[in-house]
Amino acid sequence: MKILSIQSAVAYGHVGNSAAVFPLQRIGVEVLPVYTVNFSNHTGYGAWRGPLISPSDVSDVITGIEERGAFPDIDVILSGYQGGEGIADVILDAVARVKAVNPDAIYACDPVMGNAKSGCFVAPAIPVLLRERVVPAADLITPNQFELGFLTDTDPGDLESTLASADAARAMGPSTVLVTSVERPDRPEGTIEMLAVTDAGAWIVRTPKIPMKANGSGDVTAALFTAHFRETGDAASALAKTTSSVFDLLQTTFDAGARELQLIESQETYAHPRMQFEVTQVR
């Protein structure tokens, strides 16, 4: 499998492509990483150095990949955080060009906008752009519960309303929705869930909620679920593997008392997930 991953990159720590690429490689995926920024560290530190890469430069890199004849072999285009409005045009153009030579390729979009605790943390134009242009072009999206609500102008809370919101998102274009960080009011205290919805059904998985903020964990989740689902077409299996791997990555990071994901130290959890959580079909 080959994935063209258009995301940010940092030298210190693990977010964007700096979080997604290694776990994908560890499960045997060939990744073609294209960077949208090249920062010293993620912006959560309040200070960072390095350039935003202009949309024209990002496009040039993608064109160079195309000129090497790689597009027919690309199975997935993956995108995450979009720092500026111009990057969306570059991504959508790349999706169209790859699909023109490989109609079986899919576009997986992590529509990063914010979360329930912090609200939106992207430029005001980005959520509208994602909702109106980017998500409708995607085959698979991986929003958290807050982002799902914004995309669909709904208020997902309990299982029924979250399923309805996922269906509303699927009506926009993508056939598959992975809802990360589902926090139902009736869930057991100290737990969190993920929900996958496809044409074939819907599945949910519950894990303990590890009490930490982990920048980049959503990027790892989107990457692993996309790869597992693309390989097998089995949402339940992809959900189980992804949940197992990401939970153990977070647990290792928490146990180490680290601020940055212990991405390398956790590599066996990607290659050999323990499958310790039960996935339940809910539709």
Side-chain angles (χ1 to χ4, degrees):
M1 185 189 307
K2 289 188 178 181
I3 294 181
L4 175 66
S5 182
I6 308 170
Q7 301 195 57
S8 59
V10 295
Y12 178 85
H14 303 289
V15 299
N17 267 335
S18 301
V21 171
F22 177 69
L24 288 172
Q25 291 172 329
R26 191 64 181 82
I27 63 172
V29 175
E30 179 73 27
V31 187
L32 289 71
V34 176
Y35 301 151
T36 56
V37 309
N38 190 13
F39 286 167
S40 54
N41 51 270
H42 70 71
T43 59
Y45 286 94
W48 65 94
R49 295 180 181 271
L52 285 164
I53 301 174
S54 72
S56 62
D57 285 339
V58 176
S59 181
D60 279 348
V61 172
I62 294 170
T63 297
I65 294 170
E66 181 180 30
E67 290 170 345
R68 301 287 75 77
F71 277 13
D73 297 323
I74 291 174
D75 300 289
V76 178
I77 307 96
L78 173 66
S79 71
Y81 170 76
Q82 297 183 24
E85 299 175 51
I87 294 298
D89 289 327
V90 174
I91 293 169
L92 292 173
D93 180 62
V95 170
R97 285 154 59 189
V98 169
K99 287 192 171 189
V101 293
N102 181 10
D104 291 331
I106 67 166
Y107 171 36
C109 170
D110 185 7
V112 178
M113 290 182 278
N115 55 62
K117 184 174 293 187
S118 305
C120 277
F121 51 66
V122 297
I126 297 298
V128 177
L129 184 63
L130 286 167
R131 182 170 59 194
E132 294 183 355
R133 295 189 54 214
V134 179
V135 166
D139 301 286
L140 186 162
I141 61 171
T142 58
N144 60 36
Q145 201 169 17
F146 170 84
E147 292 160 344
L148 177 66
F150 183 90
L151 288 172
T152 58
D153 195 23
T154 60
D155 187 22
D158 59 14
L159 178 59
E160 183 178 352
S161 61
T162 303
L163 283 168
S165 296
D167 286 340
R170 293 189 335 114
M172 296 168 64
S175 58
T176 301
V177 176
L178 174 70
V179 190
T180 64
S181 304
V182 175
E183 300 189 67
R184 292 191 281 164
D186 58 343
R187 75 191 188 281
E189 185 177 355
T191 66
I192 195 165
E193 295 168 314
M194 284 203 292
L195 173 72
V197 185
T198 74
D199 291 339
W203 296 264
I204 199 164
V205 61
R206 177 183 298 155
T207 74
K209 184 176 182 180
I210 299 173
M212 63 176 292
K213 179 181 179 181
N215 295 90
S217 59
D219 303 317
V220 177
T221 300
L224 288 177
F225 181 83
T226 296
H228 289 313
F229 184 63
R230 182 69 176 92
E231 181 179 25
T232 66
D234 185 336
S237 172
L239 185 60
K241 290 178 181 178
T242 301
T243 301
S244 176
S245 297
V246 174
F247 178 84
D248 281 346
L249 165 63
L250 291 175
Q251 187 68 62
T252 298
T253 302
F254 180 75
D255 290 345
R259 177 169 181 174
E260 295 290 346
L261 291 176
Q262 300 295 284
L263 199 77
I264 309 305
E265 295 82 350
S266 305
Q267 60 181 287
E268 284 304 305
T269 72
Y270 326 134
H272 306 290
R274 291 191 293 142
M275 307 296 279
Q276 68 271 44
F277 302 110
E278 181 182 0
V279 173
T280 303
Q281 186 164 8
V282 291
R283 192 172 69 194

